Amino acid sequence: MSSKRTNGHPGDTQTFDLFDDTNAETREPTPTADSTQVSAHLALSDTTELLALCERWVARGWLRDLDRALVRFLAMEAPDAPPLLLLGAALASHQLGRGHVCLDLNATLNAPDFALSLPPEGDDLTDPPPLPSHVLATLTLEDWQAALHHPVIASNGPGNTPLVVSHNGNTTKLYLRRYWQYEQTLHQEIANRLTGEEGTCRSPIHWAMGDDSHPGILPQALNVLFKPTNTLDWQKTACALAARNRFGIITGGPGTGKTTTVVRLLALLQTLQLAEPNAQPLRIRLAAPTGKAAARLNESIAGQVSLLPTEALADLCDEAVTDQLKASIPTEVTTLHRLLGARPDTRHFRHNAANPLALDVLVIDEASMVDIEMMTAVLRALPAQAQLVLLGDKDQLASVEAGAVLGDLCRRAEAAHYTPETAQWLEHATGQPLPPDYIDAQGQPLDQAITMLRVSHRFNEHSGIGQLAQAINQPSHAQSDQEKHQAVNKVLRHGYPDLHHLTLTDDAALDKLVIHGSPDKFINGGEGRTDHHGAPIAPPTGYRHYLNVLNAQRPRGESFEESADAYNDWASAVLSASSHFQLLCALRKGPWGVEGLNLRIAKTLRSEKLLYGSDFTLEKGWYEGRPVLVTQNDYGLKLMNGDIGITLAVPDPRTPGKSLLRVAFPTSDAEKPIRWVLPSRLHAVETVFAMTVHKSQGSEFKHTALLLPPTINPILTRELVYTGITRAREWLTVVEAKRGVLNEAVAREVMRVSGVGG
């Protein structure tokens, strides 16, 4: 079997006692050139040469200014520092910008050119500086390891050196100290929550279990929340395991019921709490990484809470607590920044170890988007007795920032690895025996706190979206590249009613897609489909749909100030319609990135008389119908990174017959459902006709079109394609600018370097 890895490298990971490291992969470095024929590069032994090389890399865009500045600073602070140590510092710093927590020396020597951003988009590679493969051609792991220790710059762990060296078997990792400390805190905080030391475990889980003759309240409550089935109910298992520990993870793909599960978990925890005499309800908070993800969870969780059998649960308690039980399950979701109390222009939060959060249970949705720095801040701010539950899809793209915490923690989730003791406990709690394949006598402590939901309720065997996601998501160790290509192409050729595969041969096909949604490319023109409730599904649309709603439902002859409800209803309808179609892409720059596509789409819509404005206005100005994405938190405007708004024209109260532009953002406040913002106050927004897959996380669209560029790029990976296609709720169009790019992308995996995964 073969596979390709990108944006990181395989290799050993730092020892973490929650995992079994006996099978950790090790490698012997393979020189990229014959050291007998290639002389050592001067930058490996001369600091002046190294600094000059860093200058050339920065000028080319292969290295960041920040990375070069670090090398200069260290060279000034320690003039006797070995150039190999300074080179390691530059590369370790650069890895942070690419999502890695540290630099793996072994992996770097195996694939040196992955150590830099090669090539940046649009680079023509004329007269390039030396590649890392040339610079490191004669370097051995032993020589690099020997140069990594310096009393001022680098040490093996505790201390105040700016760099930390971590040895594990044949692998050496180099960290910036702050990120090494994040990992240490993460390890320790999770380990503490899994040990359940006497006096710190808040959950009344032990007495709630009961015995064989008298079932306790836990099994009874689970039976109230979940109907009996003939197959293993993983949602029921997830609730039981999460209630057992002060740390838990519930992972699963789209439509597997993560939100449903967590709502029932909260009802279960409150039932166990209120069953104790004179107990106060648990203080529960719900959070998500972005405003968009928080809003989406807020919408879905309210409906789930209303369906809970609270009266039946209250009957299990010692007194009638139905009203109290209903009121104690929250429906409001906040962002992690708001929850922790972000301090503007700093990395610090109001809540920390010295000022912990006032809560008993914290649930974080879309946890795959949480980077290691934020996850550490959350753990530091949690009271010792509080319970943390992470919710997310382990196979989605990780955070744009450093770390892939959820993916690293869930690396063994597929096979479960529950110990016989856990399996016996689960059977007692749920009445469901676990299949032998999921039982492992050598299971690690963290394994016992993770549940993977395995049944999709949104995509069945008749859904092309679900089948394509399944085919793409098979890990490289399970099949060869050829087998994966065959599986993916089989799905694309099958003729599923919700899936269309488009290879571009001219501009007209893409234009038609973004305008109309190309419903004629789907079976029966997209007509005749129904959802799982039997309700009809509308055919796929493009951007014409929301722009038609904008014009058709515009309030006529009404004052903006005196008819707030009418304008709020209009804006809500436009925002809802705008989620019916979204074009996703992989890149930011170039004609196939968001920068080029947004202008192209705006001009296409203008040619259809759906938008109005000059080329300059469409590229850099404001116009009615412009959809915008907030790219930075703005606490003054109460807008968060990821929020999406639509630019609308409203009457100017000062000049009759004239209009003003306002940007409408949805809120979770029923009394004020729309936040109207002056465009001049929005300093960190971008047009979002085209959105990167990274920015789309936490969102869903009725019709999603995923556009892959004509040439392979390091960012094109299995995880990116999987994340993009699973943003589609009802319709999916996969667009290849050149045939074959999809097959290349799905064979490449993101491998982020860190010490979290074992």
Side-chain angles (χ1 to χ4, degrees):
M1 292 189 288
S2 64
S3 64
K4 303 167 188 169
R5 305 189 186 220
T6 186
N7 199 26
H9 322 290
D12 290 337
T13 44
Q14 182 179 353
T15 302
F16 180 14
D17 62 1
L18 300 181
F19 297 89
D20 182 2
D21 273 2
T22 57
N23 295 321
E25 179 185 8
T26 58
R27 292 185 172 203
E28 292 298 324
T30 302
T32 56
D34 187 348
S35 59
T36 63
Q37 300 178 2
V38 179
S39 59
H41 196 283
L42 287 176
L44 302 182
S45 56
D46 187 307
T47 298
T48 302
E49 290 289 335
L50 175 63
L51 291 172
L53 177 62
C54 288
E55 291 284 350
R56 294 191 66 190
W57 281 349
V58 170
R60 201 67 185 187
W62 296 357
L63 197 70
R64 300 179 301 173
D65 283 319
L66 181 66
D67 312 322
R68 174 184 56 184
L70 175 64
V71 175
R72 285 177 172 174
F73 170 76
L74 295 178
M76 290 173 54
E77 292 294 308
D80 61 336
L84 281 176
L85 175 56
L86 298 178
L87 174 62
L91 297 180
S93 173
H94 189 66
Q95 298 314 293
L96 294 174
R98 304 176 69 215
H100 306 291
V101 175
C102 55
L103 175 73
D104 186 325
L105 269 62
N106 199 340
T108 300
L109 291 175
N110 274 280
D113 291 341
F114 279 103
L116 297 181
S117 300
L118 301 175
E121 297 166 23
D123 197 320
D124 59 9
L125 295 180
T126 56
D127 188 28
L131 293 168
S133 53
H134 174 71
V135 175
L136 303 181
T138 62
L139 185 61
T140 67
L141 179 62
E142 292 74 17
D143 288 341
W144 207 353
Q145 288 172 328
L148 290 186
H149 295 279
H150 187 281
V152 176
I153 295 179
S155 63
N156 283 332
N160 57 7
T161 57
L163 302 178
V164 175
V165 183
S166 173
H167 299 287
N168 178 25
N170 291 335
T171 296
T172 298
K173 291 187 173 71
L174 184 63
Y175 291 81
L176 269 64
R177 173 166 294 279
R178 181 151 53 89
Y179 286 85
W180 177 83
Q181 190 60 59
Y182 290 153
E183 278 196 2
Q184 302 310 303
T185 301
L186 190 72
H187 296 172
Q188 191 60 55
E189 289 288 344
I190 293 176
N192 289 345
R193 292 176 190 284
L194 292 176
T195 54
E197 302 97 330
E198 190 67 30
T200 64
C201 188
R202 179 206 53 75
S203 176
I205 202 70
H206 301 294
W207 68 264
M209 280 292 289
D211 53 40
D212 292 337
S213 58
H214 294 84
I217 190 172
L218 175 64
Q220 294 181 70
L222 286 170
N223 287 335
V224 169
L225 288 165
F226 296 94
K227 297 178 181 178
T229 63
N230 295 325
T231 57
L232 180 61
D233 189 337
W234 283 104
Q235 294 185 23
K236 189 175 185 181
T237 299
C239 282
L241 272 185
R244 189 187 189 204
N245 298 293
R246 286 184 295 134
F247 177 79
I249 298 175
I250 300 173
T251 186
T256 52
K258 296 185 292 293
T259 303
T260 301
T261 302
V262 79
V263 169
R264 294 179 185 180
L265 170 62
L266 300 182
L268 174 65
L269 294 175
Q270 288 290 21
T271 300
L272 298 179
Q273 176 73 6
L274 294 174
E276 295 188 88
N278 303 317
Q280 295 297 314
L282 297 171
R283 298 167 298 172
I284 300 174
R285 297 295 302 274
L286 308 174
T290 67
K292 183 66 176 177
R296 182 167 158 248
L297 179 62
N298 197 76
E299 293 171 2
S300 58
I301 208 165
Q304 292 291 335
V305 170
S306 66
L307 299 175
L308 286 171
T310 49
E311 292 186 4
L313 290 172
D315 290 341
L316 299 176
C317 301
D318 292 339
E319 55 183 294
V321 291
T322 302
D323 292 340
Q324 194 176 22
L325 187 58
K326 284 182 178 179
S328 61
I329 300 174
T331 58
E332 182 180 348
V333 187
T334 187
T335 63
L336 288 172
H337 283 85
R338 284 173 174 155
L339 176 76
L340 294 177
R343 293 176 173 173
D345 303 320
T346 76
R347 307 179 79 104
H348 303 295
F349 298 95
R350 185 164 54 87
H351 290 289
N352 49 41
N355 181 32
L357 293 161
L359 52 77
D360 300 304
V361 179
L362 174 62
V363 176
I364 300 177
D365 192 26
E366 296 289 354
S368 63
M369 300 168 64
V370 183
D371 61 89
I372 191 169
E373 181 176 2
M374 176 58 78
M375 191 67 77
T376 303
V378 169
L379 286 164
R380 283 173 173 164
L382 280 181
Q385 78 283 359
Q387 192 165 356
L388 175 62
V389 180
L390 304 182
L391 208 62
D393 187 343
K394 67 180 180 64
D395 296 311
Q396 279 192 30
L397 280 170
S399 164
V400 175
E401 305 298 332
V405 178
L406 186 72
D408 286 341
L409 294 176
C410 292
R411 66 182 177 88
R412 288 160 54 95
E414 192 78 39
H417 297 285
Y418 298 134
T419 63
E421 178 188 11
T422 297
Q424 183 179 8
W425 186 91
L426 280 171
E427 184 172 1
H428 186 188
T430 67
Q432 303 176 142
L434 285 175
D437 290 349
Y438 298 125
I439 301 176
D440 178 6
Q442 303 302 314
Q444 302 303 303
L446 182 62
D447 298 329
Q448 317 312 305
I450 299 175
T451 310
M452 179 175 168
L453 304 180
R454 301 164 192 267
V455 179
S456 177
H457 304 283
R458 182 187 309 166
F459 304 130
N460 57 26
E461 67 274 13
H462 303 298
S463 167
I465 300 172
Q467 294 300 312
L468 185 60
Q470 185 176 0
I472 287 173
N473 208 27
Q474 291 297 316
S476 59
H477 63 76
Q479 58 182 181
S480 68
D481 290 355
Q482 183 178 4
E483 289 170 332
K484 172 162 283 190
H485 297 163
Q486 290 173 346
V488 169
N489 292 331
K490 182 180 179 181
V491 175
L492 294 176
R493 292 193 302 264
H494 184 274
Y496 288 102
D498 58 347
L499 175 62
H500 172 52
H501 178 216
L502 170 64
T503 301
L504 295 180
T505 56
D506 54 43
D507 291 344
L510 182 59
D511 292 344
K512 183 178 178 182
L513 173 66
V514 298
I515 296 169
H516 307 286
S518 298
D520 57 304
K521 300 299 183 181
F522 293 84
I523 293 176
N524 296 325
E527 299 283 357
R529 290 185 61 214
T530 58
D531 62 20
H532 60 281
H533 297 299
I537 295 175
T541 62
Y543 289 128
R544 177 189 289 275
H545 174 65
Y546 92 86
L547 292 169
N548 282 343
V549 170
L550 185 157
N551 287 304
Q553 299 190 26
R554 183 195 308 274
R556 307 291 178 181
E558 298 185 62
S559 164
F560 179 58
E561 286 75 13
E562 297 175 358
S563 305
D565 290 344
Y567 282 94
N568 286 341
D569 291 345
W570 173 50
S572 296
V574 175
L575 286 163
S576 176
S578 71
S579 68
H580 287 205
F581 176 77
Q582 181 64 55
L583 180 71
L584 303 181
C585 59
L587 309 177
R588 290 201 54 80
K589 298 179 181 179
W592 300 101
V594 292
E595 292 181 2
L597 287 169
N598 274 316
L599 180 57
R600 172 179 172 174
I601 294 169
K603 289 181 177 180
T604 298
L605 296 173
R606 181 182 63 184
S607 70
E608 294 288 309
K609 295 185 172 22
L610 295 168
L611 294 178
Y612 298 92
S614 65
D615 286 354
F616 179 84
T617 299
L618 294 183
E619 182 176 7
K620 297 183 178 180
W622 288 94
Y623 50 89
E624 185 172 42
R626 181 191 179 193
V628 294
L629 176 78
V630 177
T631 58
Q632 293 180 15
N633 295 338
D634 189 324
Y635 298 98
L637 295 177
K638 298 182 180 180
L639 294 175
M640 295 292 113
N641 183 11
D643 287 349
I644 292 178
I646 303 290
T647 310
L648 300 174
V650 300
D652 184 347
R654 299 166 299 180
T655 310
K658 298 290 185 179
S659 61
L660 297 172
L661 293 178
R662 296 287 185 272
V663 186
F665 291 92
T667 74
S668 57
D669 187 346
E671 295 185 0
K672 296 181 179 180
I674 298 297
R675 179 171 291 112
W676 296 90
V677 182
L678 282 167
S680 59
R681 299 191 64 191
L682 295 171
H683 304 295
V685 294
E686 60 186 32
T687 305
V688 73
F689 289 120
M691 179 190 298
T692 62
V693 174
H694 271 101
K695 290 290 188 182
S696 75
Q697 288 182 264
S699 302
E700 285 183 350
F701 310 98
K702 287 189 176 182
H703 181 193
T704 296
L706 175 63
L707 173 60
L708 301 178
T711 56
I712 199 66
N713 185 287
I715 202 172
L716 293 177
T717 62
R718 168 173 68 89
E719 291 81 359
L720 181 134
V721 176
Y722 169 80
T723 302
I725 66 176
T726 53
R727 300 309 90 205
R729 191 160 69 241
E730 296 170 356
W731 306 99
L732 172 66
T733 300
V734 178
V735 186
E736 289 186 278
K738 181 180 179 182
R739 186 175 296 278
V741 175
L742 175 63
N743 280 341
E744 283 283 324
V746 299
R748 301 157 62 91
E749 294 184 344
V750 173
M751 297 298 296
R752 287 200 170 180
V753 180
S754 77
V756 175

